[in-house]
């Protein structure tokens, strides 16, 4: 039984930058656990919609955040199961409408507080790769391997469109770009846990990089920072 704190790699950045894909591949290569923190915010927004809870009713949203049962089952080949109260909602939570709701609930400090411990519980041996907006700044500030990914808004809209298409959701590039900009603005300007790199994060501009380039770079950093064999 190991008593040391589990190692954590944090991967933060704006929407559509490829955090999820990168984090999942890094976790899979290292054989570590993976936390998609954005999915928690998305599940909460989706659960509220299902329970007809208005996102402005903070007490009711907090009740949903406290009581919802969430289970992740990340398949290495990409077929993820994300269970909300026993039902797989992996596809349903990927719409831009749910993302907008997630960004709304995420701007409230009390709601973030409820989800904080839930996220920390994912830190388990042999290690965790956590992706989100505030993994390095708030949730795992003691991590010694923090990454912040960036890419132009145009490039992120293209990536998001490709991802949505794979899930069977078609959206125009213009609409996506507009939504990404609104979400970026809300995520970066909120007073609690705004989107910004931790002081000790390594910033990687991925605009002209492939996913494998980014994964390689993150793995190099992980090998530098941790005693991996
Ligand atoms: O990463 P993803 O697009 O799934 O996240 C959806 C929304 O959840 C983001 O726009 C952001 O507002 C919120 N979020 C957050 N903190 C995180 C992860 C996501 O505020 N750690």
């Amino acid at each position: 039984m190991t008593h040391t704190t589990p190692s954590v790699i944090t991967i933060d950045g704006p929407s559509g930058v490829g955090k999820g894909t990168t984090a999942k591949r890094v976790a899979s290569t290292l054989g570590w656990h993976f936390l998609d923190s954005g999915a928690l915010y998305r599940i909460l927004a989706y659960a509220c919609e299902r329970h007809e809870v208005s996102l402005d009713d903070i007490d009711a949203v907090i009740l949903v955040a406290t009581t919802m049962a969430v289970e992740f089952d990340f398949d290495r080949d990409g077929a993820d199961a994300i269970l909300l109260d026993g039902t797989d909602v992996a596809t349903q939570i990927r719409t831009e409408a749910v993302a907008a709701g997630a960004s709304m609930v995420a701007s409230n400090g009390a709601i973030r507080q409820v989800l904080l411990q839930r996220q920390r519980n994912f830190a388990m041996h042999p290690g965790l790769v956590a992706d989100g907006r505030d993994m390095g700044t708030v949730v795992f500030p003691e991590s010694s391997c923090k990454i912040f990914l960036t890419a132009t808004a145009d490039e992120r809209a293209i990536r998001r469109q490709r991802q949505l298409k794979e899930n069977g959701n078609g959206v125009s590039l213009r609409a996506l770009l507009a939504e990404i900009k609104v979400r970026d603005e809300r995520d970066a300007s909120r007073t609690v846990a705004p989107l910004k790199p931790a002081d000790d994060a390594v910033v990687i501009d991925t605009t002209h990089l492939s996913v494998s380039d980014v994964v390689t770079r993150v793995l190099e950093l992980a090998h530098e920072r941790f005693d991996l064999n």
Side-chain angles (χ1 to χ4, degrees), residues 9 20 27 31 35 59 67 70 84-85 88 102 111 129 139 142 151-152 161 164-166 170 183 185 206 218:
I9 297 174
L35 166 64
D59 289 342
T67 53
V70 178
L84 165 64
D85 298 325
D88 187 2
I111 295 174
V129 184
V139 183
E142 72 291 349
T152 60
Q161 190 186 43
L164 288 170
K165 222 177 194 171
E166 280 164 14
R183 205 137 63 88
E185 172 59 22
T206 71
V218 175

Side-chain angles (χ1 to χ4, degrees), residues 14-17 42 93-100 133 152-185:
S15 50
V17 78
R42 285 172 182 263
I93 62 162
R94 292 295 158 201
T95 67
E96 281 306 297
V98 172
R133 303 291 190 291
T152 60
D154 285 336
E155 175 61 22
R156 289 186 286 122
I158 291 169
R159 291 179 189 174
R160 187 61 108 191
Q161 190 186 43
R162 205 181 301 139
Q163 190 184 36
L164 288 170
K165 222 177 194 171
E166 280 164 14
N167 290 329
N169 297 312
V171 187
S172 88
L173 204 56
R174 246 178 86 189
L176 267 181
L177 187 59
E179 279 162 15
I180 277 181
K181 284 185 171 164
V182 169
R183 205 137 63 88
D184 278 358
E185 172 59 22

Side-chain angles (χ1 to χ4, degrees), residues 36-44 68 70 72 115 118-119:
D36 173 357
S37 64
L40 274 182
Y41 289 93
R42 285 172 182 263
I43 289 170
L44 176 55
M68 65 182 188
V70 178
F72 291 100
L115 296 184
R118 271 189 115 127
Q119 295 171 78

